Amino acid sequence: MEMTLDEGKEKFIQSWGTLGSNWGINRTMAQIHALLLISPESLCAEDIRQELQISMGNANMNLRALIDWGLVYKKLKSGERKEFFVAEKDMWVVIRQIITHRKKKELEPMIKVLDEISSVQPNSEESEAFCKVIRDIQLFSSKADSTLDTLIKADSHWFVGTFMKMIK
Amino acid sequence: MEMTLDEGKEKFIQSWGTLGSNWGINRTMAQIHALLLISPESLCAEDIRQELQISMGNANMNLRALIDWGLVYKKLKSGERKEFFVAEKDMWVVIRQIITHRKKKELEPMIKVLDEISSVQPNSEESEAFCKVIRDIQLFSSKADSTLDTLIKADSHWFVGTFMKMIK
DNA sequence: TCAAACTTTCAATAAGTACTGAAAATAATG
DNA sequence: CATTATTTTCAGTACTTATTGAAAGTTTGA
């Protein structure tokens, strides 16, 4: 079934927004990211405001967030006063940035909490069950932590090659 | 620094709830999961309602969701009329269930959308840039899809062993 | 140095999501 | 089969998060 560019763009922007939203990321932020990803030219805040029908404030705040995530860069055009924005197009870098950001914001704080919690003494049936669960989650978390570190450092395009063989 | 069991339980339940919430999962659902994870005995809906100070309706709905995710099981106690609930305690199974669920609900629909979108013809600068991005995301998505399938099938406890060496 | 162009901030409000409580449905018991 | 225990549903409401719009701040260049 054929699809026009405009239909495709619309569908992609909406789907990327929904995906983000399902993973706890602001829908508009994800939509701006989608729009910039598929734009061959850099866009200014006003372009984005118009395309997505949102306010300038909203566009601005989410652009800052995207820059903070390392997914979008500012671009200055000579002769132009306003700022332009371009998305990082290398998918491997995109994924690495997302992993880095979420690791820092969610995995690392969780590891810290588990560490604090593991000072509970296992001296009853209840506290033993508790400590066992915490230990298991710690084990998994620290493994995830080091695996993601390796993944982040592996700047190659591992994900397009054979990755299957890696798991057992 | 020492921590009592009750402090530890409270902190764990709250943190697990926050973690879930950050990843687009109902906070209460995650808290019920945490409570059941660390409970050596099965709990009934009323126990959970009391412990977390929530309504029966809320407890019931989120317990159904947890059962649907394959993270909690119903348990019938002889002599007892009401239902009891136990959490899956094997962390590997827990993670596998979560991956399975989210893969089905988010990755697979996205792959379907990308497939539809890729019928757009690359016959202009704009449509070429668009198709390139879609192809890159497809490449990554299908790799993620097959990797996760392998991961799900690998019923061993790979994650406690040496996993580092797998990435490059 | 002033005015225009543009960006940022944030209080008010809108939109989205989750929770309650009460009523309906279901299941077990005598 | 009627009573009671328990579970489920869902409309209304509360809570959370996202967005607007207007005002303040900043930068540029005439």
Side-chain angles (χ1 to χ4, degrees), chain B residues 8 17 69 74 81 84 102 110 116 118 124 148-149 151 157 165:
Chain B
W69 279 58
K74 264 191 223 186
R81 193 150 154 179
F84 286 77
R102 301 218 73 164
M110 192 62 195
E116 286 166 45
S118 60
S124 66
L148 292 176
D149 276 342
L151 208 57
H157 291 49
K165 68 176 179 344

Side-chain angles (χ1 to χ4, degrees), chain A residues 21 45 56-57 60-61 64 81-83:
Chain A
S21 183
M56 206 35 138
N60 180 72
M61 283 189 300
R64 297 307 128 193
R81 194 151 158 177
K82 59 194 170 195
E83 293 176 321

Side-chain angles (χ1 to χ4, degrees), chain B residues 39-91:
Chain B
S39 176
E41 302 292 340
S42 59
L43 301 178
C44 69
E46 175 59 18
D47 295 335
I48 291 164
R49 198 194 63 69
Q50 283 215 329
E51 194 80 32
L52 302 179
Q53 302 279 32
I54 58 177
S55 72
M56 205 36 136
N58 194 6
N60 179 71
M61 283 189 301
N62 283 299
L63 279 165
R64 297 306 130 194
L66 283 163
I67 290 169
D68 183 53
W69 279 58
L71 296 173
V72 165
Y73 310 115
K74 264 191 223 186
K75 191 186 175 188
L76 299 170
K77 274 193 187 176
S78 53
E80 292 272 17
R81 193 150 154 179
K82 60 194 169 194
E83 292 176 321
F84 286 77
F85 302 91
V86 278
E88 170 61 58
K89 301 290 171 83
D90 182 333
M91 271 304 144

Side-chain angles (χ1 to χ4, degrees), chain B residues 33-163:
Chain B
H33 185 222
L35 177 60
L36 285 171
L37 266 179
I38 61 179
S39 176
E41 302 292 340
S42 59
L43 301 178
C44 69
E46 175 59 18
D47 295 335
I48 291 164
R49 198 194 63 69
Q50 283 215 329
E51 194 80 32
L52 302 179
Q53 302 279 32
I54 58 177
S55 72
M56 205 36 136
N58 194 6
N60 179 71
M61 283 189 301
N62 283 299
L63 279 165
R64 297 306 130 194
L66 283 163
I67 290 169
D68 183 53
W69 279 58
L71 296 173
V72 165
Y73 310 115
K74 264 191 223 186
K75 191 186 175 188
L76 299 170
K77 274 193 187 176
S78 53
E80 292 272 17
R81 193 150 154 179
K82 60 194 169 194
E83 292 176 321
F84 286 77
F85 302 91
V86 278
E88 170 61 58
K89 301 290 171 83
D90 182 333
M91 271 304 144
W92 163 242
V93 177
V94 170
I95 285 144
R96 200 175 57 192
Q97 289 298 99
I98 292 169
I99 291 173
T100 303
H101 198 272
R102 301 218 73 164
K103 178 177 179 295
K104 186 149 54 201
K105 296 280 180 185
E106 278 121 40
L107 183 59
E108 287 168 16
M110 192 62 195
I111 288 174
K112 200 153 156 284
V113 167
L114 290 168
D115 207 51
E116 286 166 45
I117 286 174
S118 60
S119 71
V120 171
Q121 293 303 310
N123 47 25
S124 66
E125 190 203 10
E126 207 189 348
S127 59
E128 266 181 42
F130 179 78
C131 291
K132 166 87 168 68
V133 170
I134 300 305
R135 246 184 294 114
D136 283 353
I137 298 175
Q138 267 183 322
L139 207 60
F140 175 74
S141 302
S142 60
K143 188 55 65 176
D145 188 62
S146 56
T147 303
L148 292 176
D149 276 342
T150 310
L151 208 57
I152 289 162
K153 274 181 217 126
D155 63 342
S156 64
H157 291 49
W158 57 266
F159 72 93
V160 288
T162 48
F163 183 52

Side-chain angles (χ1 to χ4, degrees), chain A residues 66-79:
Chain A
L66 283 164
I67 290 169
D68 183 54
W69 278 59
L71 296 174
V72 165
Y73 312 114
K74 264 191 222 183
K75 191 186 173 186
L76 298 168
K77 275 195 185 176
S78 52

